[in-house]
Amino acid sequence: MKLPEKKDQNLAARNIPGMMNRGQRFAQVEYAENAGATLRRIAAYFGREKVSVLAMLAVVVFGTVCGVYAPSLQSNAIDIIAGVREGGLTQTVMWMLALYLLYSVSQLLQGLFSARLSQRIVRRMRTELFGKLVDLPIRYMDTHSHGDVMSRMTNDVENISTTISQSLPSLFSGVLTIIGTVAVMLWYCWQLALLSCATVLLTLLSTKVLSGRVRKFSRQRQALLGQLNGTVEEMVSGYHTVVAYNHQSATSEEFCNTSDSLTKAGIKTDIFSGVMGPVMNCIGNVGFVIIAAFGGYFSVNGLISVGVISAFIVYAKQFSRPINELAQIYGQLQTAIAGAERVFSVLDEADEDKSGAAIEDGPAAVRFQRVQFSYVSGHPVIRDFDLTVPSGKKVALVGATGSGKTTMVNLLMRFYDIDSGKISIDGQDIQTISRDDLRRNVAIVLQDTTLFSDTVLNNLKYGSEYATMEDIRWAVCMSRCDELIQGLPQGWDTVLTGAGETISQGQRQLLAIARAFVADPKILILDEATSNVDTRTERAIQEAMQRIMEHRTSIVIAHRLSTIQDADMIVVMDQGRIVECGDHKALLAQRGKYYELYMMQYAGVST
């Protein structure tokens, strides 16, 4: 939920594309720096899929054994042909063919098992992440870009999925292949094996130099991708505003700047990732030269046979291939780690505290006692706020934009917790009431209406899961929505696509009011609830509200003073404080702040 009052305090905080430097907001995003801790957390997900992991490892081990042993049979076959070894050539070749065939089958099974494992792990991670998002405090959503949050749910998790399904099996098989190949090479000729492995030092040095660059630009690319998604999300959601203020060029320029930065980071990441392959190939070719030169020398001196040289050439290729693959997938691994860090940073956020007692039955008198609150420390928005809203009464909050009206509603709903003071309902401190129970007893209708892409009926049921069809029909009738619903193509079953974009803003607001009535709350809050309906509909809604509010404590926020003239008490706020309090006639007689607001609206008097 966006906070109008918070926006009023600072125009630059408005989410209007082209009106703020998003780079400043995204600069506040923090990322974990400990790759080891991130890998351990990822390993914990594998621990929950032991059967799939063991099955994949078994296939990898079996395939590695086949791949490592097959060149030995090739060596035997060449030595048999050369006459330096006895044995059946046909039998040896058939065994070699069978091993290569089994190796290919193992590669297929490895891909199937890794794909299944990746989807199960990613499903669990995505479920945990979404579960965390719905339990985060309102403050988190208000201070983080929605596009960046969605990027973590989609792009970052998808990178992890790709790494598990493609890169991880190559990592396991590559490590095992290197170990098995080195062992066989040492067994055949330890001198030639050591010479062949001399290139490993050069490989490790090259990997270390290039990997640091890959990790740096990979993390930068992920952050910029989240920033780009945030820019697009704001442009799409605020497209009417962009067009209305002719900000197409500014928005496009902002997008292009972010896109250019993302492109540069992506190019640098791909360059340093891609250069690893050619570098490793070059080092591998050096290894082939070493084997050919020293292998020929050892063969002439009778230390090894020609078949062993042939096997060493194959083993050198097997040895260099996984090293090259590991170098090439290192960039993918770094991207996945960077994405996992971003995901875990959300999972590590503290959940909204929902502990507390149930709200007590009885009257619903609301009392604010010396309430102090600030969104940013040192910049108070509410100062020494004292107010009592009697049970069953209607109290209106009025004042200039930014005076703190909506902030008081946010504090009552415990979207934010107060800095000091006390807010109580019939003497019960709301800090001791669980947020869930508090919000079940308080219904709110905001100026910015939110509906969901679902049927009209399900949107109304959102107000209360226990509401019967009779309750819903009553709420619809009281909010004057019956004609609206009857006029829709499928009536109650009409699907509101695009979160209600197919109906007018006023119609969406009527449905939101009906949804609040379905909740049947003890306390009803209306934050400019009728600002988007016509005068005739507003009058009908006001008449309905009079009946609905008879036995409920009601807090109404309004700029249009005609909607609150019948309130039992009108509270005038200015800079987070109460400056006047009384009914409509009394406040007009005082000729103070309320009188000025009234005259500006109805008499055209400038102040």
Side-chain angles (χ1 to χ4, degrees), residues 14 31 58 85 100 143 159-160 165 193 204 227 253 268 356 381 408 418 430 436 441 464 496 564:
R14 295 181 187 269
Y31 303 96
R85 185 183 183 90
Y100 279 122
T143 54
N159 285 334
I160 298 172
S165 62
L204 294 177
Q227 182 174 346
E253 182 180 357
K268 292 177 181 178
V381 178
M408 297 310 303
I418 60 178
I430 64 171
D436 286 344
N441 287 273
S464 174
L496 302 177
I564 49 90

Side-chain angles (χ1 to χ4, degrees), residues 9 16 45 84 132 145 155-156 252 266 287 294 404 413-414 460 477 568 603:
Q9 295 296 322
I16 300 177
Y45 286 90
V84 297
K132 168 63 71 170
S145 164
N155 296 324
D156 293 333
S252 297
F294 286 93
M413 294 288 292
R414 289 195 69 187
L460 295 176
C477 179
D568 297 297

Side-chain angles (χ1 to χ4, degrees), residues 330-568:
Y330 191 83
Q332 298 178 9
L333 292 174
Q334 292 302 319
T335 299
I337 292 174
E341 288 173 343
R342 285 162 51 83
V343 170
F344 292 146
S345 68
V346 177
L347 293 177
D348 290 338
E349 290 288 335
D351 289 342
E352 186 177 49
D353 184 11
K354 295 185 178 180
S355 62
I359 194 169
E360 298 175 357
D361 293 331
V366 179
R367 186 177 182 186
F368 299 87
Q369 297 174 265
R370 301 188 63 80
V371 174
Q372 298 268 7
F373 174 74
S374 57
Y375 290 107
V376 179
S377 179
H379 300 276
V381 178
I382 301 298
R383 304 173 178 86
D384 292 325
F385 189 89
D386 280 286
L387 175 66
T388 299
V389 182
S391 177
K393 299 297 182 179
K394 175 182 177 181
V395 173
L397 301 179
V398 300
T401 299
S403 58
K405 304 182 298 298
T406 300
T407 297
M408 297 310 303
V409 172
N410 293 331
L411 298 178
L412 177 59
M413 294 288 292
R414 289 195 69 187
F415 292 154
Y416 288 82
D417 283 330
I418 60 178
D419 297 336
S420 63
K422 179 181 179 181
I423 303 176
S424 59
I425 298 178
D426 198 33
Q428 187 178 8
D429 192 341
I430 64 171
Q431 297 291 330
T432 65
I433 302 174
S434 72
R435 281 181 165 88
D436 286 344
D437 198 62
L438 174 66
R439 293 165 188 170
R440 272 193 293 267
N441 287 273
V442 181
I444 183 170
V445 180
L446 298 171
Q447 180 179 5
D448 298 325
T449 303
T450 299
L451 297 176
F452 301 95
S453 297
D454 205 338
T455 64
V456 171
L457 180 59
N458 288 337
N459 269 279
L460 295 176
K461 285 182 177 179
Y462 206 84
S464 174
E465 57 183 321
Y466 305 108
T468 63
M469 195 63 198
E470 182 180 353
D471 296 332
I472 295 175
R473 290 185 183 278
W474 171 83
V476 167
C477 179
M478 295 297 289
S479 59
R480 299 296 191 267
C481 281
D482 40 7
E483 293 184 6
L484 164 62
I485 296 176
Q486 291 172 9
L488 295 175
Q490 286 81 38
W492 296 89
D493 297 324
T494 300
V495 177
L496 302 177
T497 57
E501 292 295 333
T502 53
I503 60 178
S504 69
Q505 178 65 30
Q507 290 174 320
R508 293 200 298 269
Q509 205 157 36
L510 282 174
L511 291 175
I513 292 172
R515 181 174 59 191
F517 292 170
V518 170
D520 193 22
K522 296 175 66 174
I523 301 173
L524 181 63
I525 300 173
L526 303 173
D527 187 353
E528 291 287 347
T530 60
S531 60
N532 292 316
V533 298
D534 59 86
T535 305
R536 179 181 177 185
T537 305
E538 180 187 15
R539 184 176 295 109
I541 293 176
Q542 291 295 330
E543 293 175 358
M545 287 180 178
Q546 291 302 320
R547 294 191 294 271
I548 294 172
M549 295 178 180
E550 286 180 359
H551 304 292
R552 287 183 176 85
T553 304
S554 303
I555 299 177
V556 181
I557 296 175
H559 287 289
R560 198 185 304 174
L561 301 184
S562 61
T563 62
I564 49 90
Q565 291 182 13
D566 61 340
D568 297 297

Side-chain angles (χ1 to χ4, degrees), residues 566-584:
D566 61 340
D568 297 297
M569 180 168 57
I570 299 174
V571 177
V572 183
M573 296 183 62
D574 185 36
Q575 297 184 358
R577 292 187 176 92
I578 297 176
V579 293
E580 291 177 358
C581 187
D583 59 26
H584 174 68

